[in-house]
Amino acid sequence: MKYLGFVIIRSFGKEDIEIIDNFVNEAIEGDDLSFFNKLRELYPNRSREIQALEYYVYTVQQYSDINIIRNYTDGFIATVNKGSINNDIKKSIEQNVSIAPASFELWTYIDKLESK
């Protein structure tokens, strides 16, 4: 989760960096539910978006194969884009999850280096 959590918070705006910095370490060290609950607390007006991101994270973290993650991500984005939510939310979700495979790949590589 820690890898995807950083991906998700990246699109919440520069003005939010200080607020997010105050809870990232605590939320990341906690469980996934704590992380998403904290996001909902900070951004109640973005609850539908956060709910979609939460679903994505819970599903994608079951996979360890980067190709499966890429395929799932592409399918998730396509499904969101077909949905009835507004275009701003669709765009934000796409921005958040589209970089998740690369982030996963990077952090997997870093974990391998650290374990040597």
Side-chain angles (χ1 to χ4, degrees):
M1 168 55 196
K2 66 181 177 178
Y3 316 127
L4 295 172
F6 286 116
V7 169
I8 286 169
I9 62 172
R10 77 158 198 40
S11 78
F12 276 78
K14 291 179 181 175
E15 68 279 1
D16 299 322
I17 296 298
E18 185 176 326
I19 294 169
I20 291 170
D21 280 347
N22 290 332
F23 87 88
V24 165
N25 288 333
E26 179 183 326
I28 297 299
E29 293 299 321
D31 59 18
D32 297 347
L33 183 60
S34 299
F35 178 79
F36 287 104
N37 283 341
K38 187 64 174 179
L39 279 179
R40 276 190 276 281
E41 180 183 316
L42 290 171
Y43 306 100
N45 59 325
R46 297 177 78 173
S47 62
R48 288 190 72 191
E49 176 185 353
I50 293 167
Q51 182 180 11
L53 295 171
E54 183 176 22
Y55 179 82
Y56 172 84
V57 167
Y58 281 134
T59 304
V60 81
Q61 65 186 351
Q62 297 174 36
Y63 306 120
S64 59
D65 182 304
I66 188 64
N67 293 315
I68 293 172
I69 292 171
R70 284 186 186 120
N71 289 336
Y72 178 78
T73 300
D74 291 344
F76 186 85
I77 291 169
T79 300
V80 166
N81 285 329
K82 291 178 188 174
S84 61
I85 57 178
N86 78 47
N87 287 333
D88 289 340
I89 292 175
K90 288 178 184 180
K91 182 179 177 183
S92 179
I93 290 170
E94 182 173 354
Q95 288 173 339
N96 276 295
V97 303
S98 66
I99 64 167
S103 177
F104 174 82
E105 197 167 28
L106 172 66
W107 286 104
T108 300
Y109 177 74
I110 289 171
D111 283 347
K112 286 179 184 176
L113 289 177
E114 290 177 348
S115 67
K116 287 184 177 184

